[in-house]
Amino acid sequence: MSSWTPTAPRPAPSNTVGFVAWARANLFATKLDTALTLLAFTLVVYVVEAIFGWAIIDASFTGDDRTACLKEVQGACWPFIEAKFGQFIYGRYPDAERWRVDLVFLSGLIGLIPMLMPNVGFKRANMIYLLGFYPIFAFIMLNGGMLGLATVDTTDWGGLLVTLVVAITGIVASLPLGILLALGRRSDLPIVRALCIGFIEIFRGVPLITVLFMASVMLPLFLPDGINFDKLVRCLIGVALFSSAYMAEVVRGGLQAIPKGQYEAAAALGLGYWKTTHLIILPQALKLVIPGIVNTFIGLFKDTTLVLIVGLFDLLGIVQLHFTDASWATPETHITGYVFAGAVFWLFCFAMSRYSIFMENHLSTDRTSS
Amino acid sequence: MLLQALVLGALVLAMVWLVANVQSNLERQNINSGFGFLSERAGFGINQTLIEYSEDSSFARVLTVGLLNTLLVSVLGIGLATVLGFVLGVARLSSNWLVNKTAMVYVEIFRNVPLLLQIMFWYFGVLRNLPSPRKAVSLGDAVFLSNRGIVVPALEMTAAAWWYGAALAVSTTAYFWLRRRARLLRLADGTAQSIWRPVSMIAMASLAFAALLGGVPFSFDIPALKGFNFRGGITVIPEFVALLLALSLYTAAFIAEIVRAGIQSVSKGQREAAAALGLPDNTALRLVVIPQALRVIIPPLTSQYLNLTKNSSLAVAIAYPDIVSVFAGTTLTQVGQAVEIIFITMMIYLTLSLLTSFAMNRYNARIALVGQKS
Amino acid sequence: MSDPVIRINKMNKWFGNFHVLRDIDLNVAAGEKTVICGPSGSGKSTLIRCINRLEAHQEGEIEVEGVTLDGSLKNLEEIRSNVGMVFQQFNLFPHMTVLENCTLSPIWVQQKSQAEAETLARELLERVRIPDQADKYPGQLSGGQQQRVAIARALCMNPRIMLFDEPTSALDPEMIKEVLDVMVELANEGMTMLCVTHEMGFARQVADRVIFMDEGEIVEENAPEAFFSNPENERTQLFLSQVLTH
């Protein structure tokens, strides 16, 4: 009997690997491809050149008022952003008290970063910190009026601070509300189910702006004389209710994906409805829909800009407000402001979407390894 | 049962309490109630009306004008977003690296920036920044871009247009008839025949006949600067352009992702099987890939259409006269009847949504793959 | 034996820099039944997928019925219309009925009339013993039935060569036999068949030749008798002891 020795593998022929082969396969495979590549290349060069010229070459970088940005060929007016930066981040929050906002940002990050890393432990303690301690701490710090802190009225809050307050409150409130609504929608109790379906379908069927109008114009009518909510709080309620309806549908998707066997197994162990839901079903269902949840968060984050329509000054609102400052009125002020605000929003949303993709991959490897 | 009774009881109590509050508040603030205001005189102008409207029209008319403006921008936005979205979605799947990445950059930029910001960018940043009509940017002295909007030549049909309409109708009918006949022939005895030659001949002959009888079918009303503004032509208000542009560009990014996912959902094996059966690429695409991809694409696509329609309410930020802007905005400040006005506005959107999802459920039931385990 | 209908000469293929097929030489005569086996990753599926160019090779020649497989679209069309293929995952079109699956190629590639194509399809469905399922959708059939439809669909092209890529690997044990029976019948009718499979019983029963592949190479080829009872090579023996013991 002979024994077999495999032929040594040869490297692929040089015309199939390397940059030239890559370019031939991926850029110039056919005549149509070549044409498309050239077209796309022209487009890219044109756009990049225009952006580069506007943002750097023709831009102004220093100056104290509009005169810095009135060149013959004027690009971005960056001094406007520099001058207003504090306003864009804190709104009219008093200068002397801004350290409080910084502290709230910082303590939020301290809680959030380990929470987002799947391999760091102490998730339960972390959760208690973020959902129990942090909101109270943030409220006391931002609002003041106790512990010797001066009260800062919410009408003075603005900029990125308001954007984050609205977004984070919406996120924190919409998740539990959404879970309850999703459970209610699958409940065996017809009245509860009907109420939940009604709530979800109504809020998903109307634009957020009408909900905000309702919160800002109609809500005061529904409350007894003399009781009045802060405008920010009214908007927070509107945003939270609105996004909880979307969250409910995402969670419902996860609940539907749990096999019947899980319920039967839980029942066989003698667990009741709440214990089954809390210990067996929700942990699995929520894990399945993490990407959907993050997408809802991204949508919510973008939607916070709508509060400017009812008179709050979030990041976009405050940028818009400062366009009226006559000492900075130039033809490029608007675009510069929008590009700045857009870049900030983009960073947050893009980071969230990348995180969602990361979690999706992480979870799918989790599943295959178990 | 007890739980349900409790929930119901709490709900009823809350309702009674709320209604009582509303009544006392309305009384105290001297606000009317009921829908009587709808027939009152509106007293304000609207800068884009698809139907006849003046300051003497009623609030009900305002509602209709607003609704039509909402529908106009939504329908056009859906059309543009669909075309752009499909192009981008296909580009995202292209084997051409540069095309693929360009589409990816577009999608990542446009879907991660708030729509409201994009609307304001186009409106306040770009369109309002254009020069005044006197210094308007002109394209071939026929189209003018200024901060008052875009002025384009108006197309005016002459009587001869009817002849061309008839010619077009004849050619279209001939095309469909010939296509049907060719298909039947093809299935009956397998003979394939091209219909392009007879169709183009019929089209040319009928158009030539129309030209002979009628002459030139239209004339242009070309805008010209008179004083501080343009006379003639059609002026498209900048609010409309900004809203349409922002809605289409934003929604297209989402549609691109839906299209990409839909086409990717058709497994590689399906394409290979079609190739192994000898089907040419375009036939495989038409008979195997697209029908399957559409099943995956259409439901989320419809929800994007609904989103676009709901998002058109952001018009209020730049005062495009949509339903929210003229009704839940201007009308509300004039009349003050917040409860009724917000209720009507919400009901209109809700009706649109429910109608669409009803149609969608019917469609899904119809196309569901028989016996597919999912 | 007559002239070879498939002629593969010094064929090499790479996936990126991975050398999947190394210097393959293989001739298949008309009517010959060849079974290809080997461990997973040995390149056996890639080899038969090169024959109708679902994968493109980079070096060497492949000739099917005298037509060379190169970049030419015309040659490719000619070869594909002569070569039927059955996949491990069936790859039936889920949005078409069984009958529509079968008539697709006759109507759109061979320009047959619908009536003619349907008659042919029903005939072949009868031959694979599922005449009464013509109007159902693939999702309503069992795996074994689906694979038999896939065979009928390929036969509707009236091919002269059939390629089978692990046709029974995705099937439950009780369905394997119904598919193999159809394949045996096809073999007995004189079809040229190239079959990647681990069904050694099938190989013994119908194959004229068994080929063993590993690491992208043909290690050994022989008539089934000799191949099973007296493998020439240690590697082959090791493989056989692993497949045959269970």
Side-chain angles (χ1 to χ4, degrees), chain C residues 59 102 120:
Chain C
E59 278 182 15
C102 292
L120 174 70

Side-chain angles (χ1 to χ4, degrees), chain C residues 62-75:
Chain C
I62 301 179
E63 221 181 85
V64 180
E65 303 214 302
V67 182
T68 313
L69 259 188
D70 43 23
S72 149
L73 210 60
K74 196 178 137 284
N75 287 1

Side-chain angles (χ1 to χ4, degrees), chain C residues 213-224:
Chain C
M213 286 183 72
D214 192 16
E215 301 204 21
E217 280 185 273
I218 295 180
V219 177
E220 178 167 350
E221 50 182 305
N222 219 329

Side-chain angles (χ1 to χ4, degrees), chain B residues 186-190 192 269-270 272-279 283 286-288 291-292 295 369-372, chain C residues 49 52 54 80 83 85 87 91-96 104-105 107-109 111-115 137 139-140 153 157:
Chain B
R186 173 81 184 67
L187 292 178
D189 57 14
Q270 291 284 314
E272 288 181 350
L277 286 173
L279 293 182
T283 314
R286 189 161 52 90
L287 298 176
V288 175
Q292 293 188 63
R295 282 160 211 261
L369 288 178
V370 183
Q372 196 78 333
Chain C
R49 288 158 61 86
N52 65 351
L54 289 182
R80 281 190 176 159
V83 179
M85 185 162 191
F87 299 86
N91 292 345
L92 293 178
F93 305 127
H95 60 301
M96 297 178 178
L104 189 70
S105 177
I107 290 180
W108 291 99
V109 181
Q111 313 285 337
K112 287 200 168 90
S113 76
Q114 191 169 15
Y137 284 88
Q140 296 168 299
R153 177 175 75 174
M157 303 160 64

Side-chain angles (χ1 to χ4, degrees), chain B residues 354-372:
Chain B
L354 292 180
L355 280 180
T356 314
S357 48
F358 177 72
M360 210 55 256
N361 289 340
R362 291 283 301 269
Y363 172 82
N364 275 336
R366 202 164 63 81
I367 65 156
L369 288 178
V370 183
Q372 196 78 333

Side-chain angles (χ1 to χ4, degrees), chain A residues 1-2 4 6-7 10 12-13, chain C residues 12 14 19 22 217 231-232 234:
Chain A
M1 180 167 296
S2 60
W4 167 75
T7 321
R10 280 186 280 131
Chain C
N12 280 278
W14 287 263
H19 200 172
R22 300 175 198 168
E217 280 185 273
E232 286 169 13
E234 278 172 16

